[in-house]
């Protein structure tokens, strides 16, 4: 596998080959891996991803993010650093309902990023806050299942 990688084989083939070798070392046949991969792809997890993306798109197109920003600013805007706190809470809240952190970043990023910059937060801080807020809520949601 190392030689194939050095000779220019695509990374996915090298990683796949290493995975097959490790499975075979443990006594698992490659056919078993294929069957399990198919079972994962047809279970309820994978088909739900486009549905969560659709939910995020519908919420974004319906201006739910702007309304949620106004509500959370009214509730938490008085706290020092209120806009950052509001953005973190809003991203967490939105991630719970859309099911994906990437959907949250796409749906809310265009609204929250300019709001953070207008309040004087640095660009790198704003990007990190929006990315981490959506991801942490997604991780908490996965742990709570």
């Amino acid at each position: 596998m190392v030689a194939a990688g050095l000779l220019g084989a695509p990374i996915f083939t090298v990683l796949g080959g290493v995975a097959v070798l490790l499975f075979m070392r443990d006594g698992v046949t490659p056919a078993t891996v294929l069957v399990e991969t198919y079972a994962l792809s047809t279970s309820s997890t994978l088909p739900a991803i486009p549905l969560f993306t659709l939910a995020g798109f519908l919420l974004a197109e319906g201006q739910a993010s702007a309304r949620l920003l106004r509500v959370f600013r009214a509730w938490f805007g008085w706290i020092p650093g209120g806009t950052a706190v509001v953005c973190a809470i809003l991203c967490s809240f939105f991630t719970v309902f859309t099911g994906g952190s990437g959907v949250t970043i796409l749906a809310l990023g265009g609204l929250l990023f300019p709001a953070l910059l207008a309040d004087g937060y640095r660009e790198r801080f704003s990007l990190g806050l929006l990315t981490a807020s959506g991801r942490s809520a997604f991780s908490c949601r996965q742990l709570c299942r």
Side-chain angles (χ1 to χ4, degrees):
M1 290 296 107
V2 172
L6 292 175
L7 291 174
I11 292 177
F12 75 90
T13 59
V14 173
L15 292 176
V18 169
V20 167
L21 289 175
L22 291 174
F23 276 123
M24 290 174 64
R25 189 185 81 186
D26 285 341
V28 178
T29 62
T32 305
V33 175
L34 294 174
V35 169
E36 288 300 318
T37 303
Y38 179 76
L40 285 173
S41 67
T42 57
S43 69
S44 62
T45 305
L46 193 61
I49 292 172
L51 295 175
F52 281 130
T53 305
L54 176 64
F57 176 76
L58 292 176
L59 286 169
E61 287 298 312
Q63 300 299 315
S65 55
R67 291 192 301 264
L68 284 171
L69 179 61
R70 285 195 311 268
V71 167
F72 282 113
R73 266 195 175 158
W75 287 348
F76 301 106
W78 57 271
I79 297 172
T83 303
V85 172
V86 165
C87 289
I89 292 171
L90 185 57
C91 283
S92 300
F93 189 76
F94 205 82
T95 300
V96 169
F97 287 107
T98 60
S101 58
V103 174
T104 298
I105 293 167
L106 289 174
L108 294 178
L111 174 74
L112 298 180
F113 185 66
L116 286 166
L117 293 179
D119 283 354
Y121 292 98
R122 292 177 310 165
E123 182 178 341
R124 291 186 63 153
F125 172 81
S126 302
L127 290 172
L129 176 71
L130 293 174
T131 305
S133 298
R135 186 66 194 153
S136 64
F138 182 71
S139 298
C140 291
R141 185 172 180 267
Q142 294 294 352
L143 290 173
C144 293
R145 284 187 176 186

